[in-house]
Amino acid sequence: MSVKIENLNKAYGNLQVIKNFSYTFQDDKIYCLFGPSGCGKTTLLHILAGILPYDSGIISGLENKKIAVVFQEDRLLPWLSAEENIKFVINDKHFDAEKYLEAVGLKEFRKFQPRHLSGGMKRRVAIARALAYQGQVLLMDEPFKGIDEELKRKIMDYILKTKSSGQIIIFSTHNLHEAKYMAHEIVQFE
Amino acid sequence: MTDSTINISKKAFFKIAVLLFWLAIWQAIYLLVQNNILIPAPLEVLSRLKELVLLRSFWVSLLFTISRVFAGVCLALVLGTALGFLSGLNRFCYEILSPLVVAIKSTPVMSFIIVALVWFGSGNVPVFICFLIAFPIIWTNIWEGITNVNIKLLEMARVYRVPRAKILTKIYLQEIKPYFISGFLTIIGMGWKATVTAEVLSHPVHAVGSRLYDARVFINSVDLFAFTLSIIGISLLIENIIIRLFAGSGGSRTNSVS
């Protein structure tokens, strides 16, 4: 079932961030929210993730769907290793987190805590966590920020290759190359 | 000798030097005052302490006092942690308990001791007083820890539908750990003081506080100082053991990216 947004509005005080936004995200497709900073991309992703209330409008199709999110700030538990951070969101003690860490080039760093990883590495752990969760909807807020070009391409290929059937992927970026490479549709924000 | 051995020796030497410095100050004051009741000679106090440690009654008193501190602190840890946790999660609980904690904090210890003397037997008064001194500290620390839990991590856990038990153990307990340790270390020191003070006034049969009281009654300053030194020594020893215990349970990793 697709995710349908009708006349969505969200304001922070007097600042209207999202105004009468309507869109339908179809199953099995990848969407890119494209636009400059402060245009409401993160706000929309947070609303879709269910962690931010909106003022008015209707969102349908997200009920009971497993949602995985790559947050802009990584949101890793600092006292857990990279591997444990992935296992934290999976309800299976014997889950093999290694293949996801390998996919983002961090297999050797699986025992490292976030404080011992660079910014780009933490980002990759957050991506691995979201991929391991295998959500029906995958939301990613500027997922490739701080990751070098070669690795970025490898991770994008992995996401495209392992994308499950019916899965909706929505990600935000400032980078037109990332948008064109990954997305079936680009949603322009102004 | 390795570098680390030299460093440890240096530290030990420095500590001994500081100790000798303060003993010298004590001796100087003693020589200046020339009154054994006001300030006894340090050597006399140390020699009395040496005599005391050979007495069974000394260790019995010490053991009873330690057990009272232990009971009071444990009670405060259990109740303070549980209620602090609830207050941090539930506003209503906080509103109910907060005035009680403020009242306990503001009430003079003496008032509590006098009331407790009416309520309990002399042996239980110090436990109750130790608990009353320790409880607000633990409650406040745990409440503060809970209210400072990283909301963004909780949001992440909610999005990923992480079970509550896992959120409790992997987020809440980890976040309040430093607050708990800091509260624990504070109440150990304060618990000793409160317990001994209550013992002096409630005068149970076996208690370091009762021995201090006896020393005061018989104007025996040497005993007073010797018992006080023993309290300081045991308090420091227990505090060090706890610090080492918590340092060991930290489990920090040494891996890092070069």
Side-chain angles (χ1 to χ4, degrees), chain B residues 197-216:
Chain B
T197 308
E199 281 177 349
V200 169
L201 289 159
S202 61
H203 209 249
V205 181
H206 302 294
V208 173
S210 301
R211 301 295 76 79
L212 289 180
Y213 178 82
D214 294 342
R216 188 192 77 97

Side-chain angles (χ1 to χ4, degrees), chain A residues 141-157:
Chain A
D141 198 357
E142 297 187 26
F144 309 112
K145 199 171 68 182
I147 302 175
D148 67 69
E149 284 303 319
E150 197 189 328
L151 203 57
K152 189 197 293 182
R153 184 61 70 97
K154 265 177 78 179
I155 296 170
M156 286 196 287
D157 287 339

Side-chain angles (χ1 to χ4, degrees), chain A residues 37-144:
Chain A
S37 289
C39 63
K41 302 187 299 287
T42 299
T43 300
L44 179 62
L45 288 173
H46 282 190
I47 289 172
L48 291 173
I51 57 172
L52 189 68
Y54 47 96
D55 300 332
S56 63
I58 299 168
I59 299 176
S60 55
L62 276 175
E63 306 80 17
N64 300 319
K65 273 205 166 97
K66 265 179 89 179
I67 301 173
V69 184
V70 177
F71 294 95
Q72 211 171 58
E73 327 85 344
D74 304 326
R75 303 198 186 189
L76 300 173
L77 305 188
W79 39 82
L80 297 185
S81 67
E83 191 176 28
E84 288 164 340
N85 262 289
I86 294 173
K87 285 183 174 175
F88 176 71
V89 301
I90 311 287
N91 293 321
D92 176 9
K93 276 184 185 173
H94 308 290
F95 182 79
D96 179 25
E98 214 172 282
K99 71 171 179 177
Y100 294 97
L101 284 168
E102 192 174 7
V104 294
L106 287 175
K107 193 183 166 189
E108 292 76 24
F109 297 92
R110 64 185 189 282
K111 298 284 178 209
F112 284 61
Q113 287 179 336
R115 66 198 162 109
H116 295 130
L117 299 173
S118 67
M121 285 169 154
K122 283 188 253 190
R123 199 92 201 102
R124 279 143 65 191
V125 177
I127 293 172
R129 178 177 64 188
L131 295 176
Y133 187 67
Q134 296 184 329
Q136 290 152 290
V137 178
L138 172 59
L139 307 172
M140 299 190 287
D141 198 357
E142 297 187 26
F144 309 112

Side-chain angles (χ1 to χ4, degrees), chain B residues 154-170:
Chain B
L154 294 177
E155 280 177 354
M156 179 274 293
R158 211 177 76 208
V159 169
Y160 282 105
R161 298 179 188 171
V162 177
R164 277 186 187 188
K166 213 172 182 183
I167 294 176
L168 184 78
T169 54
K170 301 285 182 191

Side-chain angles (χ1 to χ4, degrees), chain B residues 123-176:
Chain B
N124 293 327
V125 173
V127 177
F128 179 66
I129 296 304
C130 178
F131 164 75
L132 280 184
I133 293 298
F135 172 77
I137 297 167
I138 286 293
W139 181 87
T140 310
N141 273 33
I142 298 295
W143 172 80
E144 211 175 296
I146 293 289
T147 49
N148 282 320
V149 165
N150 190 338
I151 299 290
K152 292 189 170 184
L153 293 181
L154 294 177
E155 280 177 354
M156 179 274 293
R158 211 177 76 208
V159 169
Y160 282 105
R161 298 179 188 171
V162 177
R164 277 186 187 188
K166 213 172 182 183
I167 294 176
L168 184 78
T169 54
K170 301 285 182 191
I171 298 183
Y172 278 109
L173 290 187
Q174 294 297 325
E175 289 266 37
I176 63 167

